[in-house]
Amino acid sequence: MNKKQIITIAGGGSTYTPGIIQAVLNNSDRLPISEIRLYDIDGKRNEDMALIIDFMLKKEGHSDVVLSSTENPKEAFTGCDFVFSQIRVGGMKMREKDEKIALKHGLVGQETCGLGGFAYGMRSMGGLLEIVGYVQEYAPEAWILNYTNPESIVSEAVRRQFPGIKMINACDMTISIEETIADNYGYDRKEWVSTYYGLNHFGWYTEIYDKSLGRDVMPEIIEKLTSQTMKVADFNEGDQSWQDAFNMMSVMTKDFPTHIPNNYLEYYLYPDMVVEEADKNYTRANMVMDGREKNTKEMAEKIRSGVKEDVLNFNFGEHGQYIVDMATSILNDEHRRFMLIVPNRGAIPNLREDAVVEVPAYVGATGVEPISLRQPIPDFHKGLMEAQVAAEKLLVDAYFEGSYQKALQAFTLNQSVPSARVAKIVLDEMIEANKEYWPELS
Ligand code: NAD
Ligand code: G6P
Ligand code: MN
């Protein structure tokens, strides 16, 4: 039996914390814990979350688990075993600016894609590098399991500054796509061995092998996707923007029926459609603030005022379970398979080896073992990926070198941008809006 683990959540006040802790508690046989520490730079959000988690621990009979919340990195990280990282530098208010500034100039306004994603990347790199630095200092043996976005950009930055770090970068989107497909078309996702490649939020399935059926079910799923759209899975029920995103998967699969695309490719393949349909005054950030964020505050308020019943109210699908599976896979050498964001190093043989890619990988006690796809990928995907990788690398260069020129090149090369003129206008406006967060560019 493993020793009881100490888990620190970086970005403790995140709206996703309850889902992650719930998954930790549901798996206490494989991931026994002695302590949960919430670390955040926002004391109020962290306190609210501590109330919610304390309520949950008591309700689930885990009162023996020590819970703390702190803004002090030394207290948060010293001696911890796992760090689950999910910070959002600048919060939803800055996400709203990312989305609205881009949209105002006729470009895709999105959290992780397009120029909104690049603006977020420039904020997020510093925040995450700081967390990694704390872990190196206070808990050098700990594993960092990272969900902090935008994943491709922050992973590239961490790889440059902390090359040997024990860190896994993961995204829940492939699991969410698989759940939605399986729910709609009557499969059991747990039977699937999926093969997929790309960059984060920018990839394609090549095979979905179903162990119980003994065959690759991707061709039949492609047929279904092209003839009927999917309904969102229960955890996204009633969320029209996720419904729209999954509808776009059918559009993309109809036009390019060789693979199943990640839904996020809509921002690069059909930016004109996305912009046309967007509400420039009420974007996804507004929906999240009025939804998930408000809901979290309400849970804390109920607990504060002594409510005991119907307090906990969240459902993020497999998001929490996925990251907990990574932790248990390391702890118990389980060798589970995940889609992970890793340096390419030949995994995709005909793509530059220093790209940060998303591919299947097995996780065990010694860390991450990505698979090699062995086959070269087709030119259509390779061309799109190469441009995007170059844009992301230029952005990371801009961050470390403080280079305006590199930032402008990155913004211009982003696949959602049609002209250097508009790239420059948006960059200048983003610099102004992000004064507090970006390094100075000259
Ligand atoms: P949120 O704003 O609700 O929570 C983020 C928390 O991070 C806030 O409490 C904030 O105060 C804190 N924070 C900000 N900067 C910090 C810093 N420098 N150090 C410590 N804490 C800091 O955001 P959310 O919607 O819960 O999302 C959290 C993060 O998880 C985002 O980066 C989001 O993009 C990411 N996310 C990733 C995936 C994925 O699949 N990879 C899925 C969902 C969310
Ligand atoms: C998926 C993606 C995440 C992204 C999130 C956005 O889970 O994998 O990377 O952050 O969606 O969701 P939201 O509800 O904040 O728009
Ligand atoms: Mn993601």
Side-chain angles (χ1 to χ4, degrees):
M1 186 72 177
N2 286 302
K3 89 166 177 57
K4 290 192 172 183
Q5 305 287 296
I6 301 176
I7 292 178
T8 300
I9 310 265
S14 157
T15 49
Y16 287 99
T17 299
I20 290 181
I21 299 300
Q22 183 69 59
V24 169
L25 301 181
N26 291 349
N27 293 272
S28 56
D29 52 337
R30 293 190 293 138
L31 180 61
I33 54 164
S34 59
E35 214 179 314
I36 295 170
R37 302 177 188 163
L38 305 179
Y39 169 71
D40 206 292
I41 53 169
D42 183 331
K44 172 77 177 78
R45 290 180 70 106
N46 218 19
E47 253 174 51
D48 276 7
M49 193 52 64
L51 275 179
I52 297 170
I53 302 307
D54 179 59
F55 183 91
M56 193 185 276
L57 288 173
K58 288 181 178 136
K59 182 168 172 281
E60 305 262 322
H62 288 278
S63 304
D64 56 320
V65 173
V66 176
L67 172 68
S68 60
S69 61
T70 177
E71 295 155 70
N72 178 331
K74 191 172 177 191
E75 280 174 26
F77 297 104
T78 301
C80 73
D81 300 294
F82 286 101
V83 176
F84 294 175
S85 164
Q86 42 170 356
I87 65 169
R88 185 187 290 284
V89 176
M92 284 293 168
K93 280 284 163 209
M94 288 308 295
R95 174 177 178 177
E96 182 182 14
K97 287 196 186 170
D98 296 342
E99 293 170 350
K100 289 186 178 170
I101 292 172
L103 273 171
K104 185 170 95 188
H105 296 285
L107 303 183
V108 168
Q110 213 278 326
E111 179 199 21
T112 62
C113 297
L115 298 188
F118 274 15
Y120 183 23
M122 286 292 273
R123 289 197 300 279
S124 200
M125 282 185 268
L128 189 63
L129 288 169
E130 185 180 73
I131 301 275
V132 176
Y134 292 144
V135 179
Q136 282 254 296
E137 186 176 353
Y138 300 121
E141 294 305 314
W143 274 95
I144 305 172
L145 309 185
N146 181 51
Y147 264 153
T148 300
N149 268 320
E151 286 268 9
S152 288
I153 292 163
V154 296
S155 318
E156 170 74 18
V158 170
R159 183 170 78 106
R160 288 191 198 183
Q161 190 159 321
F162 299 98
I165 193 76
K166 288 165 74 176
M167 181 164 181
I168 297 184
N169 292 290
C171 165
D172 65 10
M173 200 62 237
T174 52
I175 204 81
S176 172
I177 289 172
E178 290 174 34
E179 269 188 277
T180 307
I181 291 176
D183 274 14
N184 273 271
Y185 304 137
Y187 295 97
D188 178 0
R189 183 184 61 73
K190 300 239 162 20
E191 293 296 327
W192 285 356
V193 181
S194 302
T195 305
Y196 172 98
Y197 63 79
L199 314 174
N200 181 233
H201 291 182
F202 197 108
W204 296 266
Y205 284 88
T206 61
E207 182 177 358
I208 300 180
Y209 183 79
D210 187 306
K211 290 183 280 183
S212 66
L213 299 173
R215 61 170 191 268
D216 175 10
V217 293
M218 191 174 86
E220 62 204 68
I221 292 171
I222 289 179
E223 253 187 60
K224 289 174 175 137
L225 259 175
T226 54
S227 56
Q228 66 195 89
T229 53
M230 296 189 289
K231 206 173 131 332
V232 287
D234 62 338
F235 59 91
N236 280 325
E237 183 92 59
D239 190 330
Q240 189 56 43
S241 56
W242 276 113
Q243 184 60 58
D244 294 342
F246 281 108
N247 291 348
M248 278 302 286
M249 279 186 67
S250 285
V251 172
M252 289 191 274
T253 314
K254 253 186 223 158
D255 284 345
F256 304 102
T258 54
H259 297 72
I260 298 177
N262 189 302
N263 58 289
Y264 277 91
L265 280 163
E266 67 170 304
Y267 301 111
Y268 298 102
L269 298 178
Y270 308 86
D272 50 347
M273 263 173 91
V274 168
V275 171
E276 212 168 283
E277 280 157 28
D279 180 343
K280 296 179 176 51
N281 300 313
Y282 192 80
T283 57
R284 181 70 192 166
N286 299 108
M287 293 175 209
V288 175
M289 285 187 273
D290 293 342
R292 205 165 65 232
E293 200 165 54
K294 189 160 158 259
N295 186 45
T296 307
K297 281 187 203 142
E298 279 170 9
M299 286 194 273
E301 279 318 313
K302 277 191 183 169
I303 297 166
R304 248 190 213 103
S305 51
V307 179
K308 295 270 184 292
E309 300 297 322
D310 300 324
V311 171
L312 299 178
N313 169 27
F314 57 86
N315 182 1
F316 308 128
E318 293 286 308
H319 176 89
Q321 186 62 44
Y322 199 52
I323 200 165
V324 166
D325 282 344
M326 282 168 224
T328 66
S329 212
I330 293 170
L331 191 62
N332 310 313
D333 198 27
E334 288 167 13
H335 284 274
R336 289 169 186 260
R337 184 176 168 112
F338 303 88
M339 301 302 171
L340 297 179
I341 298 152
V342 294
N344 185 22
R345 296 186 186 137
I348 303 173
N350 57 338
L351 189 78
R352 59 192 277 186
E353 59 89 29
D354 65 344
V356 171
V357 297
E358 188 167 326
V359 290
Y362 289 88
V363 174
T366 58
V368 176
E369 295 173 330
I371 69 160
S372 161
L373 291 166
R374 300 180 297 279
Q375 305 283 345
I377 60 171
D379 273 335
F380 178 47
H381 299 173
K382 182 166 175 272
L384 286 163
M385 283 167 67
E386 277 171 347
Q388 184 68 11
V389 168
E392 288 171 356
K393 286 205 179 275
L394 284 163
L395 191 82
V396 179
D397 290 347
Y399 173 84
F400 282 113
E401 296 166 21
S403 165
Y404 179 88
Q405 178 57 213
K406 291 273 183 80
L408 179 58
Q409 290 177 8
F411 270 50
T412 304
L413 194 54
N414 187 295
Q415 292 296 284
S416 68
V417 177
S419 121
R421 186 190 64 83
V422 71
K424 190 164 194 302
I425 294 171
V426 173
L427 174 60
D428 291 343
E429 214 168 311
M430 297 276 196
I431 289 175
E432 198 51 37
N434 281 279
K435 266 199 188 123
E436 251 185 86
Y437 301 100
W438 285 15
E440 203 171 316
L441 302 180
S442 57

